Amino acid sequence: MNNDNTRLHAVKEAYWSHSDFKGSDIGVFKDALLHIKGPVPATAEQQKVLFFMLPDSIIGPGIAYGFGDTEVRESVHEFVEQNTHALTAAMYPENA
């Protein structure tokens, strides 16, 4: 990992481990993963996989404005739609 990736990973780790996700902030990950999982609710671990795969262009505004913010939420959903294969492989490595 280069310095930028290492720094972004550390920010994600700190944010995830120190957040008490409630309401719309965690709901955005559950809702976005419905695109992959259908009506089966995403587990906390699957939501974390999604969070850690998000690029800095989504993480920054998500931290600044909340992941429930309309634009951030739309970006998360778009990311899931565009990266379904990679997310599925990351969430279910045994099936990849």
Side-chain angles (χ1 to χ4, degrees):
M1 251 190 241
N2 67 32
N3 285 341
D4 289 340
N5 288 341
T6 301
R7 186 178 311 113
L8 180 58
H9 184 79
V11 167
K12 288 176 180 179
E13 188 64 52
Y15 186 83
W16 186 266
S17 63
H18 291 84
S19 292
D20 181 20
F21 291 105
K22 292 184 179 167
S24 63
D25 264 3
I26 194 68
V28 69
F29 303 124
K30 288 179 184 178
D31 292 346
L33 288 171
L34 289 174
H35 180 77
I36 294 173
K37 297 185 56 63
V40 177
T43 66
E45 188 60 35
Q46 290 166 334
Q47 293 170 56
K48 185 176 180 180
V49 167
L50 167 57
F51 178 79
F52 275 81
M53 289 181 72
L54 293 173
D56 59 354
S57 61
I58 298 174
I59 292 293
I63 291 172
Y65 305 114
F67 287 92
D69 174 79
T70 301
E71 289 182 27
V72 177
R73 185 176 60 243
E74 289 173 1
S75 295
V76 171
H77 281 267
E78 186 176 307
F79 177 83
V80 170
E81 288 174 16
Q82 294 174 353
N83 295 281
T84 298
H85 181 70
L87 282 161
T88 301
M91 289 190 302
Y92 306 105
E94 66 280 0
N95 296 332

